[in-house]
Amino acid sequence: MGKSLILTYILWLFGGGLGLHHFYLGRDRQAFVWWSTFAGGFGLGWIRDIWRIPEYVADANESVEYMRHLVESMRFYKTPPFSGVRFAGQLFVGSFFGYLALLAVPEEIAEGNSYIRMLLIPAAVAIGVDIVANIGRQTTSFKYTLVAGYAICFLVLADPNSVVHIAVLCSIVSQYFRTYRRVTPKKRHVCVRITILGAGGTVIILMWMLFLGNNASITTADGETIKLRDAVQHFFNSPAWRELKNTVYKIYQRARTEGWERVYDEFVEALDPRGEKNAYKVLDLDGNATQDQITKKYRKLAKEWHPDRHPKSKEEAQAKFIEIQQAYETLSNIKLERARRNKQSRDTTSSSFKNVG
């Protein structure tokens, strides 16, 4: 079945930042780039897709016109024409992955083991460059791209921020060995595609976690700076975490004995979605108060907090007065609704008995 242009634009609009439209069209590498670099380079790729999507759909559907143009290009050009956009994408993604690898290695580890960054950074850059190079109908040699990265990996020793230099050389070598993808790759099952993308996504997330854990910090009320990884470790040893674990365990045990539905109902009730508990609290009444008691207490508090009786703190009194009014209206409406439902229930029961008789 052919790919829909309209559906592609819908996926672009609502999931374009995650590359859903590219995944739908079978452009998994581009989907991964879009997801891992925040909508294709902080949104630039996502915006560019507005006018590129028709061509992507034609490619996915292998339309007659698109394939005719592709065959003519392959005959006329021995190698695909140079694309400045693709080259810029290779530079960006290669540098992005390289810097992420750089920051994922803690300074205290890198100082005594410099070879870790020498091995990790060129590989990350080469992978990023190669992914972009293999998008669409083009391909290149990952082997030579990787060799180019390691050829100048010694620069990392002199300057860890030489990631861009490695990305430039890898992109140039990748472009030099670019060729047309003349054989259409065998289509993988969607589960396999998701597994591969998931594995790549896991690596990216892990590197972000290492980066944040090693570099992010929080500041206490006393002005003391604590690394995020230390704060997280302390949290998992804190009384608050132990109490939370015990609470969750008790809820689980209760749900097993009394049923999840009852636990859910009690949870919703505790959230006070109708504002009933808060209204009782505002009027200083218990949950068994009658409508007469509610009205009596409302009149008393409304008189007590009327703004005219508090000329020195009129704004505070006005806010309290409005809160009292809202609480009274909330409880009155709830009481009225319950009385209506009870009447309907009684009428239904009475009707049922008459029909039986």
Side-chain angles (χ1 to χ4, degrees):
M1 182 182 293
K3 302 299 182 180
S4 168
L5 180 63
I6 295 176
L7 180 56
T8 303
Y9 270 114
I10 292 174
L11 291 173
W12 167 83
L13 181 62
F14 294 102
L18 300 175
L20 291 182
H21 57 304
H22 289 304
F23 181 79
Y24 167 69
L25 296 175
R27 305 172 69 88
D28 293 358
R29 290 184 180 87
Q30 200 160 354
F32 179 74
V33 170
W34 260 230
W35 174 84
S36 59
T37 61
F38 308 102
F42 304 101
L44 292 178
W46 179 76
I47 295 173
R48 181 173 178 266
D49 281 346
I50 295 176
W51 61 86
R52 294 286 296 170
I53 282 178
E55 182 179 340
Y56 295 155
V57 174
D59 182 8
N61 292 330
E62 295 186 343
S63 68
V64 175
E65 183 63 26
Y66 178 85
M67 295 306 295
R68 184 185 63 80
H69 178 73
L70 178 64
V71 170
E72 288 178 355
S73 297
M74 288 181 176
R75 287 175 179 173
F76 189 78
Y77 300 104
K78 291 183 179 180
T79 60
F82 174 79
S83 170
V85 174
R86 186 182 292 264
F87 185 75
Q90 290 177 286
L91 281 175
F92 170 76
V93 178
S95 300
F96 187 89
F97 285 6
Y99 276 113
L100 191 56
L102 169 71
L103 297 172
V105 180
E107 287 294 336
E108 53 268 27
I109 295 178
E111 288 176 1
N113 305 277
S114 57
Y115 67 89
I116 294 179
R117 281 180 171 172
M118 286 181 61
L119 293 174
L120 189 60
I121 292 174
V125 172
I127 290 171
V129 169
D130 190 72
I131 290 175
V132 178
N134 280 273
I135 290 175
R137 299 280 178 170
Q138 292 188 28
T139 186
T140 189
S141 171
F142 176 67
K143 177 177 64 176
Y144 292 120
T145 303
L146 186 62
V147 168
Y150 281 116
I152 58 172
C153 66
F154 61 88
L155 292 176
V156 176
L157 293 175
D159 181 12
N161 293 313
S162 58
V163 173
V164 175
H165 302 102
I166 299 175
V168 170
L169 181 59
C170 287
S171 299
I172 292 173
V173 171
S174 176
Q175 285 288 326
Y176 180 80
F177 287 99
R178 71 185 184 275
T179 59
Y180 281 109
R181 192 189 303 276
R182 297 183 180 276
V183 179
T184 303
K186 184 180 178 181
K187 291 185 178 180
R188 297 188 178 101
H189 191 275
V190 66
C191 294
V192 177
R193 296 169 58 200
I194 292 174
T195 301
I196 294 173
L197 289 173
T202 301
V203 173
I204 295 296
I205 292 173
L206 179 61
M207 294 179 73
W208 272 111
M209 290 176 64
L210 289 171
F211 160 64
L212 292 174
N214 295 322
N215 297 278
S217 61
I218 59 175
T219 304
T220 64
D222 300 329
E224 182 182 359
T225 301
I226 303 174
K227 281 195 171 184
L228 181 61
R229 63 182 181 186
D230 296 331
V232 171
Q233 184 179 355
H234 294 155
F235 169 73
F236 285 118
N237 293 324
S238 67
W241 172 250
R242 289 195 293 269
E243 184 178 345
L244 176 61
K245 285 197 302 184
N246 292 332
T247 302
V248 171
Y249 180 74
K250 288 178 182 177
I251 292 173
Y252 173 73
Q253 291 295 332
R254 186 174 179 186
R256 289 185 61 186
T257 56
E258 299 181 14
W260 286 100
E261 186 175 350
R262 182 170 180 181
V263 172
Y264 172 76
D265 291 340
E266 291 183 1
F267 172 73
V268 173
E269 189 66 25
L271 294 178
D272 194 23
R274 294 171 297 185
E276 183 177 10
K277 290 183 179 179
N278 182 62
Y280 278 119
K281 184 178 179 181
V282 170
L283 296 180
D284 194 22
L285 293 169
D286 59 49
N288 298 320
T290 63
Q291 182 62 47
D292 290 339
Q293 291 173 326
I294 292 171
T295 303
K296 184 177 179 181
K297 193 60 178 281
Y298 160 69
R299 289 173 178 171
K300 177 183 176 183
L301 291 175
K303 184 178 179 181
E304 179 183 341
W305 285 97
H306 196 281
D308 292 342
R309 303 188 66 175
H310 300 269
K312 294 183 179 181
S313 55
K314 208 160 190 177
E315 290 185 2
E316 180 184 353
Q318 178 73 19
K320 185 67 176 177
F321 184 76
I322 293 174
E323 186 181 24
I324 293 168
Q325 281 186 320
Q326 291 176 342
Y328 173 72
E329 290 174 1
T330 297
L331 292 179
S332 297
N333 291 335
I334 291 174
K335 291 279 187 184
L336 184 64
E337 178 63 22
R338 284 177 181 166
R340 185 184 63 79
R341 286 204 306 266
N342 291 336
K343 184 177 182 303
Q344 286 181 345
S345 179
R346 287 194 300 270
D347 291 344
T348 303
T349 305
S350 175
S351 240
S352 298
F353 278 118
K354 287 181 180 178
N355 291 333
V356 172

